[in-house]
Amino acid sequence: MIQIENYIDGKLVAPLSGKYLDNINPATEEVYSQVPASQKEDVLNAIAAAKKAFPAWSKTSVEQRIEYFYKIAAMIRDKHEELALAESRDNGKPVKLAMRVDIPRAWQNLEFYAKAMSQFHAESYVSNSSINYTTYNPLGVVTCISPWNLPLYLFTWKIAPALITGNTVVAKPSEVTPMTAYLFSQIVKEAGLPDGVLNILHGLGPDMGDTLVGHEDIKAVSFTGSTATGKYIANKAAESFKKVSLEMGGKNPNIVFDDCDYEKALKTTIHSSFANQGQICLCGSRIYVQKSIYDKFKNDLAEAANKLKIGDPTDSKTAQGAVVSKSHYEKILSYIEIAKKEGGTILSGGEAVEGKGYFIKPTLIENLDINCQSNQDEIFGPVATITPFETESDVIAMANGTRYGLSATVWTGDVNKAHRVASEIDAGIVWVNCWLNRDLRTPFGGVKNSGLGREGGKDALHFFTEVKNTCIQVENL
Ligand code: NAD
């Protein structure tokens, strides 16, 4: 049994309560590690350590911080396979997906922000009577809270811009997938990152959240997770006017026009609906297909979904692993039942795989009203709905008809139509003839109940810094 510990002030430490939670491998249902059930007192210790480390860390040169980042990134590369296996065992995702996406993205996040920081600089404005210079200064101690679907990927996506700009961090990965963050704490220790600069706490959100978010020494909160938790955090943070960045749920439309590259749209739609068992906030869970190709597209999609190999995440042929936990498995299955009651017709899947592990067959459902619960709520599993449409304006109204607005995908061969539709869709990110094509320099985030603020590129560097203008009066410049 692996015992995970918190990482506070450069030391791996047990939670003060001595209590641990079971960590279960969702593919086998076996408990294989113990996770600290941290409480307020553990959070206070982490905040104190981060506060103590801030003055020195914020004064280290940018070059020195960049050097740490490259060192840590190289160590992640060295442990590529170990980390991918750990991610799969915690989350249920295929090891090959973690090898190809999750772990490379973790080192890329560090390398990207190392490079970005070298281009992020003060500005100056000179006139004949004054010199103004605008600097971007670290905030102090910041909190980074991340979810379970892309554990190390999103953990590093947050802590990298926070640390590179000179802040010290108290980070809270999901209690459901703590393993790679725990391994990461060992990596940063070995890399020699100064004690207290990064502190990692494990445990249940509600046990720690009020202190992580509300404590007076926390200057900003960067959160990725569900809309319900994001709402709670935004309210709590507002009491002390903290900066908040929220990346939350999605119910993203995937719009297929009849003039698209059919084969490409079909192949990508299988991926965008079911990758990571549909547990990516950007998954296209509402598929809209133009009427003239609807029947063919839905049949081809259902056939392709039925062919996806489900099972042992360590098998290199597996396309679909287990969903993350028993409670999430039950939630997804309950939504399939809701969809059936709402009149939905199951075109593929629609049930769990018999036997051990939380496996659900890739499920495609049609005949649902666009306003019904299964078309409105984020299910966050291998479940997509499919609906025909006739005109551009019809599908724009359908696409915008939920409380979410994270991303959208548009498939068409007509660039003018692509531009028209993209501009009308309420979403922070629109992909045309592709999906999850990410350039880390671009702004990432959602509108409506999907998000507040943007991550990525300069946006994250701005979020984690306070801008200050200094004006010096000069004579006869
Ligand atoms: P969640 O909200 O349950 O948990 C996210 C994190 O918040 C976890 O670390 C959890 O422990 C913590 N938390 C829970 N309650 C808290 C509280 N009261 N105070 C402080 N922290 C608390 O979400 P989840 O189930 O882990 O993740 C799935 C959700 O994340 C989905 O809705 C998905 O769409 C969303 N997500 C969004 C993005 C994005 O970029 N928009 C990316 C990935 C996942």
mmCIF file with all atom_site columns, all heavy atoms in Angstrom, residues 1 109 114 125-126 142 195 199 359 377 382 400 410 447:
data_model
loop_
_atom_site.group_PDB
_atom_site.id
_atom_site.type_symbol
_atom_site.label_atom_id
_atom_site.label_alt_id
_atom_site.label_comp_id
_atom_site.label_asym_id
_atom_site.label_entity_id
_atom_site.label_seq_id
_atom_site.pdbx_PDB_ins_code
_atom_site.Cartn_x
_atom_site.Cartn_y
_atom_site.Cartn_z
_atom_site.occupancy
_atom_site.B_iso_or_equiv
_atom_site.pdbx_formal_charge
_atom_site.auth_seq_id
_atom_site.auth_comp_id
_atom_site.auth_asym_id
_atom_site.auth_atom_id
_atom_site.pdbx_PDB_model_num
ATOM 1   N N   . MET A 1 1   ? 0.853   -1.209 0.000   1.00 0.00 ? 1   MET A N   1
ATOM 2   C CA  . MET A 1 1   ? 0.000   0.000  0.000   1.00 0.00 ? 1   MET A CA  1
ATOM 3   C C   . MET A 1 1   ? 0.885   1.254  0.000   1.00 0.00 ? 1   MET A C   1
ATOM 4   O O   . MET A 1 1   ? 1.775   1.392  0.835   1.00 0.00 ? 1   MET A O   1
ATOM 5   C CB  . MET A 1 1   ? -0.865  -0.037 1.263   1.00 0.00 ? 1   MET A CB  1
ATOM 6   C CG  . MET A 1 1   ? -1.898  1.035  1.357   1.00 0.00 ? 1   MET A CG  1
ATOM 7   S SD  . MET A 1 1   ? -3.296  0.826  0.240   1.00 0.00 ? 1   MET A SD  1
ATOM 8   C CE  . MET A 1 1   ? -4.037  -0.679 0.836   1.00 0.00 ? 1   MET A CE  1
ATOM 9   N N   . ASN A 1 109 ? 4.115   22.200 -20.244 1.00 0.00 ? 109 ASN A N   1
ATOM 10  C CA  . ASN A 1 109 ? 3.619   23.357 -19.488 1.00 0.00 ? 109 ASN A CA  1
ATOM 11  C C   . ASN A 1 109 ? 4.780   24.103 -18.831 1.00 0.00 ? 109 ASN A C   1
ATOM 12  O O   . ASN A 1 109 ? 4.838   25.334 -18.844 1.00 0.00 ? 109 ASN A O   1
ATOM 13  C CB  . ASN A 1 109 ? 2.646   22.909 -18.392 1.00 0.00 ? 109 ASN A CB  1
ATOM 14  C CG  . ASN A 1 109 ? 1.290   22.506 -18.946 1.00 0.00 ? 109 ASN A CG  1
ATOM 15  O OD1 . ASN A 1 109 ? 0.905   22.926 -20.034 1.00 0.00 ? 109 ASN A OD1 1
ATOM 16  N ND2 . ASN A 1 109 ? 0.551   21.684 -18.211 1.00 0.00 ? 109 ASN A ND2 1
ATOM 17  N N   . ALA A 1 114 ? 8.457   28.653 -18.977 1.00 0.00 ? 114 ALA A N   1
ATOM 18  C CA  . ALA A 1 114 ? 9.849   29.119 -18.866 1.00 0.00 ? 114 ALA A CA  1
ATOM 19  C C   . ALA A 1 114 ? 10.154  30.048 -20.044 1.00 0.00 ? 114 ALA A C   1
ATOM 20  O O   . ALA A 1 114 ? 10.692  31.147 -19.876 1.00 0.00 ? 114 ALA A O   1
ATOM 21  C CB  . ALA A 1 114 ? 10.790  27.919 -18.855 1.00 0.00 ? 114 ALA A CB  1
ATOM 22  N N   . TYR A 1 125 ? 7.121   54.107 -21.065 1.00 0.00 ? 125 TYR A N   1
ATOM 23  C CA  . TYR A 1 125 ? 6.523   55.156 -21.901 1.00 0.00 ? 125 TYR A CA  1
ATOM 24  C C   . TYR A 1 125 ? 7.291   56.429 -21.582 1.00 0.00 ? 125 TYR A C   1
ATOM 25  O O   . TYR A 1 125 ? 7.284   56.908 -20.448 1.00 0.00 ? 125 TYR A O   1
ATOM 26  C CB  . TYR A 1 125 ? 5.034   55.327 -21.566 1.00 0.00 ? 125 TYR A CB  1
ATOM 27  C CG  . TYR A 1 125 ? 4.273   54.020 -21.661 1.00 0.00 ? 125 TYR A CG  1
ATOM 28  C CD1 . TYR A 1 125 ? 4.186   53.162 -20.559 1.00 0.00 ? 125 TYR A CD1 1
ATOM 29  C CD2 . TYR A 1 125 ? 3.668   53.635 -22.853 1.00 0.00 ? 125 TYR A CD2 1
ATOM 30  C CE1 . TYR A 1 125 ? 3.510   51.957 -20.653 1.00 0.00 ? 125 TYR A CE1 1
ATOM 31  C CE2 . TYR A 1 125 ? 2.985   52.430 -22.945 1.00 0.00 ? 125 TYR A CE2 1
ATOM 32  C CZ  . TYR A 1 125 ? 2.911   51.591 -21.845 1.00 0.00 ? 125 TYR A CZ  1
ATOM 33  O OH  . TYR A 1 125 ? 2.254   50.393 -21.941 1.00 0.00 ? 125 TYR A OH  1
ATOM 34  N N   . VAL A 1 126 ? 7.945   56.955 -22.586 1.00 0.00 ? 126 VAL A N   1
ATOM 35  C CA  . VAL A 1 126 ? 8.841   58.086 -22.335 1.00 0.00 ? 126 VAL A CA  1
ATOM 36  C C   . VAL A 1 126 ? 8.300   59.332 -23.037 1.00 0.00 ? 126 VAL A C   1
ATOM 37  O O   . VAL A 1 126 ? 7.945   59.292 -24.213 1.00 0.00 ? 126 VAL A O   1
ATOM 38  C CB  . VAL A 1 126 ? 10.253  57.754 -22.870 1.00 0.00 ? 126 VAL A CB  1
ATOM 39  C CG1 . VAL A 1 126 ? 11.219  58.892 -22.579 1.00 0.00 ? 126 VAL A CG1 1
ATOM 40  C CG2 . VAL A 1 126 ? 10.758  56.451 -22.269 1.00 0.00 ? 126 VAL A CG2 1
ATOM 41  N N   . VAL A 1 142 ? -0.393  32.115 -3.543  1.00 0.00 ? 142 VAL A N   1
ATOM 42  C CA  . VAL A 1 142 ? -1.601  31.859 -4.324  1.00 0.00 ? 142 VAL A CA  1
ATOM 43  C C   . VAL A 1 142 ? -2.011  30.387 -4.183  1.00 0.00 ? 142 VAL A C   1
ATOM 44  O O   . VAL A 1 142 ? -1.179  29.525 -3.909  1.00 0.00 ? 142 VAL A O   1
ATOM 45  C CB  . VAL A 1 142 ? -1.409  32.207 -5.828  1.00 0.00 ? 142 VAL A CB  1
ATOM 46  C CG1 . VAL A 1 142 ? -1.057  33.682 -5.997  1.00 0.00 ? 142 VAL A CG1 1
ATOM 47  C CG2 . VAL A 1 142 ? -0.348  31.328 -6.472  1.00 0.00 ? 142 VAL A CG2 1
ATOM 48  N N   . ASP A 1 195 ? 12.598  25.253 -0.358  1.00 0.00 ? 195 ASP A N   1
ATOM 49  C CA  . ASP A 1 195 ? 11.504  24.814 0.524   1.00 0.00 ? 195 ASP A CA  1
ATOM 50  C C   . ASP A 1 195 ? 10.424  25.883 0.627   1.00 0.00 ? 195 ASP A C   1
ATOM 51  O O   . ASP A 1 195 ? 10.721  27.078 0.718   1.00 0.00 ? 195 ASP A O   1
ATOM 52  C CB  . ASP A 1 195 ? 12.053  24.538 1.942   1.00 0.00 ? 195 ASP A CB  1
ATOM 53  C CG  . ASP A 1 195 ? 13.006  23.357 1.939   1.00 0.00 ? 195 ASP A CG  1
ATOM 54  O OD1 . ASP A 1 195 ? 13.087  22.663 0.910   1.00 0.00 ? 195 ASP A OD1 1
ATOM 55  O OD2 . ASP A 1 195 ? 13.678  23.147 2.969   1.00 0.00 ? 195 ASP A OD2 1
ATOM 56  N N   . ASN A 1 199 ? 3.870   24.060 -2.200  1.00 0.00 ? 199 ASN A N   1
ATOM 57  C CA  . ASN A 1 199 ? 3.348   23.186 -1.149  1.00 0.00 ? 199 ASN A CA  1
ATOM 58  C C   . ASN A 1 199 ? 2.141   22.455 -1.728  1.00 0.00 ? 199 ASN A C   1
ATOM 59  O O   . ASN A 1 199 ? 1.316   23.069 -2.417  1.00 0.00 ? 199 ASN A O   1
ATOM 60  C CB  . ASN A 1 199 ? 2.925   24.008 0.065   1.00 0.00 ? 199 ASN A CB  1
ATOM 61  C CG  . ASN A 1 199 ? 4.090   24.849 0.562   1.00 0.00 ? 199 ASN A CG  1
ATOM 62  O OD1 . ASN A 1 199 ? 4.927   24.393 1.317   1.00 0.00 ? 199 ASN A OD1 1
ATOM 63  N ND2 . ASN A 1 199 ? 4.166   26.088 0.072   1.00 0.00 ? 199 ASN A ND2 1
ATOM 64  N N   . PHE A 1 359 ? -16.417 0.527  -15.920 1.00 0.00 ? 359 PHE A N   1
ATOM 65  C CA  . PHE A 1 359 ? -16.362 0.687  -17.377 1.00 0.00 ? 359 PHE A CA  1
ATOM 66  C C   . PHE A 1 359 ? -17.769 0.930  -17.931 1.00 0.00 ? 359 PHE A C   1
ATOM 67  O O   . PHE A 1 359 ? -18.705 0.199  -17.587 1.00 0.00 ? 359 PHE A O   1
ATOM 68  C CB  . PHE A 1 359 ? -15.784 -0.573 -18.032 1.00 0.00 ? 359 PHE A CB  1
ATOM 69  C CG  . PHE A 1 359 ? -14.340 -0.830 -17.651 1.00 0.00 ? 359 PHE A CG  1
ATOM 70  C CD1 . PHE A 1 359 ? -14.029 -1.658 -16.575 1.00 0.00 ? 359 PHE A CD1 1
ATOM 71  C CD2 . PHE A 1 359 ? -13.310 -0.233 -18.360 1.00 0.00 ? 359 PHE A CD2 1
ATOM 72  C CE1 . PHE A 1 359 ? -12.706 -1.889 -16.218 1.00 0.00 ? 359 PHE A CE1 1
ATOM 73  C CE2 . PHE A 1 359 ? -11.977 -0.465 -18.016 1.00 0.00 ? 359 PHE A CE2 1
ATOM 74  C CZ  . PHE A 1 359 ? -11.677 -1.289 -16.933 1.00 0.00 ? 359 PHE A CZ  1
ATOM 75  N N   . ASP A 1 377 ? -27.465 19.226 -18.928 1.00 0.00 ? 377 ASP A N   1
ATOM 76  C CA  . ASP A 1 377 ? -26.497 19.056 -17.832 1.00 0.00 ? 377 ASP A CA  1
ATOM 77  C C   . ASP A 1 377 ? -25.183 18.466 -18.356 1.00 0.00 ? 377 ASP A C   1
ATOM 78  O O   . ASP A 1 377 ? -25.198 17.650 -19.279 1.00 0.00 ? 377 ASP A O   1
ATOM 79  C CB  . ASP A 1 377 ? -27.054 18.103 -16.762 1.00 0.00 ? 377 ASP A CB  1
ATOM 80  C CG  . ASP A 1 377 ? -28.241 18.697 -16.025 1.00 0.00 ? 377 ASP A CG  1
ATOM 81  O OD1 . ASP A 1 377 ? -28.585 19.866 -16.296 1.00 0.00 ? 377 ASP A OD1 1
ATOM 82  O OD2 . ASP A 1 377 ? -28.825 17.985 -15.191 1.00 0.00 ? 377 ASP A OD2 1
ATOM 83  N N   . PRO A 1 382 ? -18.658 9.023  -21.076 1.00 0.00 ? 382 PRO A N   1
ATOM 84  C CA  . PRO A 1 382 ? -18.709 8.609  -22.485 1.00 0.00 ? 382 PRO A CA  1
ATOM 85  C C   . PRO A 1 382 ? -20.144 8.598  -23.030 1.00 0.00 ? 382 PRO A C   1
ATOM 86  O O   . PRO A 1 382 ? -20.658 7.560  -23.451 1.00 0.00 ? 382 PRO A O   1
ATOM 87  C CB  . PRO A 1 382 ? -18.106 7.202  -22.444 1.00 0.00 ? 382 PRO A CB  1
ATOM 88  C CG  . PRO A 1 382 ? -18.419 6.706  -21.083 1.00 0.00 ? 382 PRO A CG  1
ATOM 89  C CD  . PRO A 1 382 ? -18.434 7.885  -20.167 1.00 0.00 ? 382 PRO A CD  1
ATOM 90  N N   . ASN A 1 400 ? -26.215 27.537 -28.686 1.00 0.00 ? 400 ASN A N   1
ATOM 91  C CA  . ASN A 1 400 ? -26.166 28.520 -27.592 1.00 0.00 ? 400 ASN A CA  1
ATOM 92  C C   . ASN A 1 400 ? -27.208 28.258 -26.512 1.00 0.00 ? 400 ASN A C   1
ATOM 93  O O   . ASN A 1 400 ? -27.274 28.995 -25.533 1.00 0.00 ? 400 ASN A O   1
ATOM 94  C CB  . ASN A 1 400 ? -26.372 29.932 -28.157 1.00 0.00 ? 400 ASN A CB  1
ATOM 95  C CG  . ASN A 1 400 ? -25.161 30.403 -28.948 1.00 0.00 ? 400 ASN A CG  1
ATOM 96  O OD1 . ASN A 1 400 ? -24.068 29.867 -28.781 1.00 0.00 ? 400 ASN A OD1 1
ATOM 97  N ND2 . ASN A 1 400 ? -25.357 31.384 -29.812 1.00 0.00 ? 400 ASN A ND2 1
ATOM 98  N N   . VAL A 1 410 ? -16.814 23.349 -35.209 1.00 0.00 ? 410 VAL A N   1
ATOM 99  C CA  . VAL A 1 410 ? -17.622 23.556 -36.419 1.00 0.00 ? 410 VAL A CA  1
ATOM 100 C C   . VAL A 1 410 ? -16.934 22.833 -37.576 1.00 0.00 ? 410 VAL A C   1
ATOM 101 O O   . VAL A 1 410 ? -15.732 23.019 -37.798 1.00 0.00 ? 410 VAL A O   1
ATOM 102 C CB  . VAL A 1 410 ? -17.732 25.069 -36.742 1.00 0.00 ? 410 VAL A CB  1
ATOM 103 C CG1 . VAL A 1 410 ? -18.598 25.282 -37.988 1.00 0.00 ? 410 VAL A CG1 1
ATOM 104 C CG2 . VAL A 1 410 ? -18.309 25.843 -35.559 1.00 0.00 ? 410 VAL A CG2 1
ATOM 105 N N   . VAL A 1 447 ? -17.169 31.093 -21.249 1.00 0.00 ? 447 VAL A N   1
ATOM 106 C CA  . VAL A 1 447 ? -18.106 32.151 -20.897 1.00 0.00 ? 447 VAL A CA  1
ATOM 107 C C   . VAL A 1 447 ? -19.287 31.506 -20.163 1.00 0.00 ? 447 VAL A C   1
ATOM 108 O O   . VAL A 1 447 ? -19.322 30.311 -19.956 1.00 0.00 ? 447 VAL A O   1
ATOM 109 C CB  . VAL A 1 447 ? -18.573 32.945 -22.145 1.00 0.00 ? 447 VAL A CB  1
ATOM 110 C CG1 . VAL A 1 447 ? -17.386 33.567 -22.849 1.00 0.00 ? 447 VAL A CG1 1
ATOM 111 C CG2 . VAL A 1 447 ? -19.342 32.038 -23.129 1.00 0.00 ? 447 VAL A CG2 1
#
